[in-house]
Amino acid sequence: MISKPTNYDSLNENGAARKLPMGGYVCIIRKVTDNDEKKYLEIEYEVAEGEYKGIAVDTYEAWGRWSHSFRVYYTEKAMWRFKRFITRTEQTNPNFTFDWNNVNCLVNRGIGLVIGYRQGWGKDGSLKEYLDVQDFCTATEVREGKLPKQPEVREVKDAPPAPKMEEDTSSFEDSGLPF
């Protein structure tokens, strides 16, 4: 017997979930994964306030994957951005100090995110737009509309990937081949 999914009435008939507009959002960190080998934290987040509160769950239910995430690298070259992320998280959460020995201390902490889009080539060769966390700020800055930068669509600069060509084997003869 088939049962009606809980999100059935809110689903878009073309299969797409609501699209998060570019802008500043007060968010909550839902999950942190440390990739020590490549030196980055994978941060999964959810919009915590406003019209789009809960959109990541809606997207997950519509597409079956969590698409609201970003990476913060802690390599020497990218440490300035990592510091900005940690500082804005600490400023948003009174009495919170990042614990260098426990990255999961970030879970359930608030942060302001400046979210735009970046273009990229999909597996099918078509041009796609993906969520792009472009900067960090405090929740207060988001609420007051004082974003450190305006979000943008970062356009793709490279050509689409070449289509995979299938080898034409019709001219090969079966006779005479040693195998």
Side-chain angles (χ1 to χ4, degrees):
M1 178 173 176
I2 189 168
S3 59
K4 184 177 179 180
T6 56
N7 66 333
Y8 181 83
D9 293 327
S10 65
L11 286 176
N12 187 326
E13 290 181 25
N14 68 9
R18 294 183 299 163
K19 183 176 178 180
L20 188 64
M22 292 191 297
Y25 294 92
V26 175
C27 296
I28 188 164
I29 297 169
R30 289 290 181 211
K31 183 178 178 184
V32 179
T33 305
D34 183 11
N35 187 322
D36 192 47
E37 182 181 329
K38 294 185 179 179
K39 305 289 187 213
Y40 68 79
L41 298 181
E42 180 84 24
I43 308 292
E44 292 183 5
Y45 65 92
E46 176 64 275
V47 176
E49 296 179 6
E51 176 184 354
Y52 293 92
K53 179 180 179 178
I55 192 170
V57 171
D58 294 347
T59 304
Y60 178 79
E61 289 177 351
W63 294 345
R65 63 181 171 83
W66 194 270
S67 63
H68 294 236
S69 66
F70 61 93
R71 292 178 180 173
V72 183
Y73 287 83
Y74 51 88
T75 61
E76 185 177 335
K77 186 176 179 180
M79 189 54 73
W80 67 271
R81 189 168 192 263
F82 185 82
K83 182 176 181 179
R84 185 171 179 80
F85 167 70
I86 295 300
T87 301
R88 297 308 175 268
T89 304
E90 289 176 337
Q91 291 171 338
T92 296
N93 300 276
N95 302 317
F96 170 69
T97 302
F98 178 65
D99 180 352
W100 289 87
N101 297 310
N102 177 19
V103 297
N104 285 312
C105 70
L106 294 165
V107 173
N108 293 323
R109 301 292 176 180
I111 185 160
L113 299 178
V114 177
I115 298 176
Y117 281 86
R118 66 176 169 76
Q119 293 179 336
W121 299 109
K123 293 178 183 178
D124 63 356
S126 65
L127 189 62
K128 307 274 186 185
E129 282 190 345
Y130 302 95
L131 284 175
D132 184 28
V133 173
Q134 297 176 350
D135 207 347
F136 312 111
C137 55
T138 66
T140 301
E141 289 171 316
V142 171
R143 291 179 191 120
E144 294 175 354
K146 297 179 180 176
L147 302 181
K149 67 178 280 185
Q150 290 303 308
E152 62 187 3
V153 175
R154 296 179 180 170
E155 295 182 356
V156 69
K157 293 179 174 66
D158 56 345
K164 292 183 181 178
M165 300 193 55
E166 298 205 15
E167 189 175 340
D168 181 11
T169 59
S170 63
S171 63
F172 293 140
E173 292 182 23
D174 288 337
S175 63
L177 291 177
F179 49 89

